[in-house]
Amino acid sequence: MVNSHMQTSEPNIYALGDCAEVNGKVFSYIEPIKRQAKTIAKNIFGLNESFLSKKPLVTLKTPSYPIVVCKPEIDEALCEVESTDPENVRFFKGNELVGFVLGGGEVKLGNSLYSRLA
């Protein structure tokens, strides 16, 4: 278990990825691990940075069919689904975007949708 600065119970020891539980969650995908590493680097240099504990953006980079996913949390499971085609599915709770699945040519929208998540 680590605090919001990614520190273990030993202040000079940090952890990330599968080795770090932050607020009861383990972030084992590349995107949150990169954010954790940046948080650790800033804290080593004394900048007092906290890790933003938000759901991960998962990118599958396959040559034949790329996919990007940001799934709704369990408490967001009762959400509305918007799908204009099989490659573009968005999940809403009221008017709030809470997740999405994009495939093929729609993958390029992943980062802009991710920045809109609450």
Side-chain angles (χ1 to χ4, degrees), residues 75-91:
D75 61 343
E76 299 167 337
L78 298 174
C79 56
E80 301 164 24
V81 177
E82 175 189 288
S83 177
T84 54
D85 60 61
E87 294 185 351
N88 188 2
V89 179
R90 299 175 190 188
F91 302 96

Side-chain angles (χ1 to χ4, degrees), residues 1-2 14 35 60 64 68 70 77 82 84-86 98 104 117-118:
M1 293 195 307
V2 297
Y14 296 84
R35 288 189 289 115
L60 306 172
S64 60
V68 66
C70 188
E82 175 189 288
T84 54
D85 60 61
V98 294
L117 292 175

Side-chain angles (χ1 to χ4, degrees), residues 93-108:
K93 193 165 191 176
N95 291 329
E96 181 181 332
L97 179 68
V98 294
F100 55 88
V101 178
L102 305 172
E106 299 296 318
V107 167
K108 64 184 177 281

